[in-house]
Amino acid sequence: MNFLRTFFLLLAVSFSQSVLAEPIDFRLSGLDGQQYSLSDYRGKWVLVNFWATWCPPCLEEMPELEMFHNSHKDNDAVVLGINMEDITDARLKDFVEKQFVSYPILLTDQNSKLPFGRVSGLPTSFLISPKGEVIAKQVGTVTADSIENFMKSHKEKNQ
């Protein structure tokens, strides 16, 4: 257990710093039929998580993302999940309900132009600052603690 705690603390530090230093935006439809824009969340941290139902590490991190989203959504941060597979909306809705996911699930296709560049593996998460800047990228799983620790260290570094 101590090894896992150390691993996740190192993971918090291992979020790679991004080179996108100016605000970005995108607009996608959600599984709930609503339109979502990254700019709607200015003033909050946003974790944009690319995932798929067939991806075991994606499924492993979903409870962590849910916990993080629920503890921060009314204050300072949200999670936006972007599904990266060819699946019917009905099957995806059923899957999301069975996983008890409450954060917005956004839909995209291979032709969607997003400001993150190529996503080389799943899961991949981008941490967006309250100013709308991509400040970190993580290929692989994240935890609620690793996200919170990274946000805290970034705030302290920029004070």
Side-chain angles (χ1 to χ4, degrees), residues 11-139:
L11 184 63
V13 177
S14 73
F15 261 109
S16 60
Q17 297 296 316
S18 178
V19 296
L20 299 175
E22 49 188 69
I24 63 165
D25 199 12
F26 63 80
R27 185 172 181 82
L28 292 173
S29 295
L31 188 57
D32 59 6
Q34 295 183 39
Q35 291 290 308
Y36 290 85
S37 293
L38 187 57
S39 58
D40 293 341
Y41 298 98
R42 289 293 191 270
K44 286 189 172 194
W45 292 89
V46 181
L47 183 81
V48 178
N49 176 258
F50 290 86
W51 69 283
T53 61
W54 49 261
C55 166
C58 300
L59 305 182
E60 179 183 318
E61 78 178 350
M62 283 183 127
E64 291 285 327
L65 297 178
E66 181 68 16
M67 184 171 49
F68 175 81
H69 179 75
N70 285 331
S71 62
H72 290 273
K73 67 181 178 183
D74 295 327
N75 298 312
D76 61 347
V78 298
V79 173
L80 299 176
I82 299 181
N83 184 263
M84 296 293 291
E85 63 190 303
D86 186 16
I87 186 172
T88 66
D89 287 0
R91 282 188 58 211
L92 186 56
K93 280 181 188 178
D94 184 53
F95 178 86
V96 168
E97 287 173 7
K98 286 180 180 173
Q99 296 296 318
F100 302 105
V101 172
S102 65
Y103 54 85
I105 300 298
L106 310 183
L107 308 171
T108 188
D109 60 39
Q110 301 299 327
N111 299 320
S112 293
K113 181 89 168 136
L114 295 173
F116 302 104
R118 185 173 176 269
V119 174
S120 59
L122 296 178
T124 295
S125 296
F126 292 88
L127 188 60
I128 315 300
S129 76
K131 295 179 183 178
E133 301 166 340
V134 177
I135 60 163
K137 173 185 178 182
Q138 173 66 36
V139 178

